[in-house]
Amino acid sequence: MSSSLERYTDRVEKYSARVGKYADRHPRLIDLAVVLALMGCASLGSSLTMPGIAPPDHAGTCTALMGISCLALLRYRSHPRTAVVVTAVCTVIAVALGYLVTPLLLGPIMAALYWLAMLTAPGTTRAFGLGTTLAVTAAAVFSDSMDDLSLLLRTIGPFFWLMLPIAAGTMTRLRRAYLQAVQARAEHAERTREEEARLRVTEERMRIARELHDVVAHHLALANAQAGTAAHLALTRPEQTKRILTDLTGTTSSALRELKATLGLLRQNDDPAAGPLEPAPGLARLPELVAACESAGLTVTVTTEGEPRPLSPGADLTAFRIVQEALTNVTKHAGSHCARVRLVYSGSRLVITVSDDGPATTAPPATGPGRGFGVLGMRERARSIGGELRLGPRPEGGFEVTTALPLIPEA
């Protein structure tokens, strides 16, 4: 039984969908068919009378009135108010001529009121609907064709039949507005999801770009400095040159490992070829960074103030990368052989200061086409975890980078 009902429901839905598509493609043909049906109903309604009473002798006039009202309905899409007024006038005249007020006779005016309520604002519907209802009801009260009925029936009948299409049209308009609102919300949600997806992709690209910049720029700068120092000392200090070249091998190997780990982020998690990635670097690897810088001819002094406290993985990585980038800039731009790294654990913040003793005007190049992105990357990293970064020349000479990063709250 339920399967038969489901098949019947599916057929009805498919038929309704086909009818709806046809109506969308040929609206004028549908309107013409509806108007012809209403004309037939009005003609049949004009022939109905109370028992024992002959129909009024105005058949031609009534037919003309119903024809005019039905022709006016053909313009209901663009002129719903005009359609209501014309059909109301024709219906009132027909009722005044003595024709019995029946739903069939009221068919054109009921259709006009339905379309008015569906296509216009509520205020317009109330104004035209009330005026039309009062006019038709008054004509029915004073019509000779309804003398055998009580005043209550002559009043309630037209009022009910005319209020019915207004209520139906209003419900249709509200349902259409609801469906449009639902569709608009769905489209907005879809656009929002797409924008969020694009934003996440952009953020991921920026994160990977920062990682690649930090890894490649730092190690290449160190490798360049080590190679230059080795070339300068090759003839005078062969043992130191050999040690520097050994360190250069370690620098390039470290660069390759970190580059491989960074590129591994682009692999899918279910890729069987993706091996385990190295842990993200943090301040625990600061001695390795200092040793690598010293092999390039840069002496780095690290001081710690306060009780060291743990950082979140993101803050730990950010701290290491900012120190790494600051030391890379000293190696590339400062013209100094000394740098200082100061770690201050104070309250809920870790303040990191990297400074050098180069010329007072020394500064990293501004970002832009063909320029570096180190300073921009440091700012983005600090802001991404709720920190801040300041940098600029020191009054006594050299350049200084200061960042404040949040610490993990104590339990």
Side-chain angles (χ1 to χ4, degrees):
M1 179 67 181
S2 59
S3 60
S4 301
L5 181 60
E6 291 177 357
R7 287 196 299 270
Y8 176 76
T9 303
D10 293 340
R11 291 176 183 175
V12 171
E13 290 179 353
K14 292 179 181 179
Y15 177 76
S16 300
R18 287 198 296 268
V19 172
K21 292 180 181 179
Y22 183 82
D24 293 337
R25 291 195 301 267
H26 308 284
R28 293 301 179 185
L29 292 180
I30 299 299
D31 293 345
L32 181 60
V34 172
V35 167
L36 291 177
L38 291 173
M39 184 64 189
C41 292
S43 299
L44 179 60
S46 63
S47 64
L48 299 178
T49 60
M50 297 294 292
I53 299 178
D57 190 16
H58 302 288
T61 303
C62 183
T63 302
L65 291 173
M66 294 300 101
I68 294 173
S69 64
C70 289
L71 288 177
L73 292 178
L74 291 175
R75 306 292 295 176
Y76 80 89
R77 296 181 185 272
S78 57
H79 301 83
R81 301 171 186 81
T82 303
V84 169
V85 171
V86 172
T87 53
V89 171
C90 293
T91 302
V92 168
I93 294 175
V95 173
L97 291 176
Y99 287 94
L100 185 63
V101 179
T102 64
L104 293 177
L105 185 69
L106 297 177
I109 184 62
M110 291 173 66
L113 289 174
Y114 171 80
W115 288 322
L116 177 75
M118 185 178 66
L119 298 176
T120 61
T124 302
T125 301
R126 285 193 295 268
F128 281 83
L130 181 60
T132 300
T133 302
L134 291 178
V136 175
T137 302
V141 168
F142 295 103
S143 175
D144 297 336
S145 62
M146 304 184 70
D147 289 340
D148 296 339
L149 300 177
S150 64
L151 179 62
L152 182 62
L153 292 178
R154 281 183 285 175
T155 304
I156 290 180
F159 180 83
F160 172 78
W161 290 114
L162 294 181
M163 285 294 105
L164 185 62
I166 294 177
T170 301
M171 293 300 296
T172 302
R173 176 175 55 80
L174 293 177
R175 177 168 177 78
R176 285 188 175 183
Y178 170 76
L179 293 177
Q180 291 175 355
V182 170
Q183 183 178 2
R185 286 197 297 268
E187 293 175 353
H188 176 71
E190 182 66 23
R191 288 194 301 270
T192 302
R193 285 194 296 270
E194 293 177 355
E195 291 173 359
E196 290 178 351
R198 286 194 296 268
L199 180 60
R200 287 194 297 269
V201 170
T202 301
E203 291 176 348
E204 183 65 15
R205 288 175 58 190
M206 293 299 296
R207 186 178 68 83
I208 295 175
R210 285 196 299 266
E211 290 292 329
L212 289 175
H213 172 271
D214 292 343
V215 171
V216 174
H218 168 70
H219 288 95
L220 286 183
L222 288 182
N224 181 69
Q226 290 169 340
T229 304
H232 180 70
L233 301 176
L235 298 178
T236 59
R237 299 181 183 178
E239 292 298 328
Q240 187 176 355
T241 301
K242 182 178 179 181
R243 186 173 63 255
I244 292 176
L245 292 177
T246 303
D247 293 338
L248 176 60
T249 303
T251 300
T252 55
S253 298
S254 178
L256 289 175
R257 286 196 304 271
E258 290 200 30
L259 186 60
K260 181 180 179 181
T262 302
L263 295 178
L265 297 175
L266 299 176
R267 290 182 178 271
Q268 298 294 332
N269 292 332
D270 56 352
D271 188 351
L277 302 180
E278 290 186 355
L283 291 180
R285 292 180 56 181
L286 193 56
E288 298 179 20
L289 179 61
V290 171
C293 292
E294 290 179 347
S295 67
L298 178 66
T299 302
V300 181
T301 303
V302 180
T303 59
T304 303
E305 299 180 11
E307 184 67 24
R309 290 169 50 192
L311 287 82
S312 65
D316 200 16
L317 173 63
T318 298
F320 178 81
R321 291 304 189 196
I322 289 178
V323 173
Q324 183 185 59
E325 179 62 27
L327 292 178
T328 301
N329 288 333
V330 173
T331 304
K332 293 166 60 178
H333 309 295
S336 173
H337 298 287
C338 296
R340 290 177 297 276
V341 178
R342 184 184 177 201
L343 308 177
V344 180
Y345 293 87
S346 174
S348 61
R349 292 269 180 176
L350 167 62
V351 179
I352 303 174
T353 304
V354 181
S355 58
D356 63 80
D357 296 327
T361 56
T362 299
T367 59
R371 306 291 184 88
F373 291 91
V375 174
L376 178 62
M378 288 192 291
R379 291 189 188 277
E380 290 177 347
R381 284 186 179 279
R383 291 174 182 172
S384 66
I385 61 171
E388 56 184 14
L389 182 135
R390 299 188 305 273
L391 72 164
R394 303 168 63 217
E396 61 273 21
F399 200 80
E400 184 175 86
V401 176
T402 302
T403 182
L405 305 177
L407 293 170
I408 297 179
E410 294 181 349

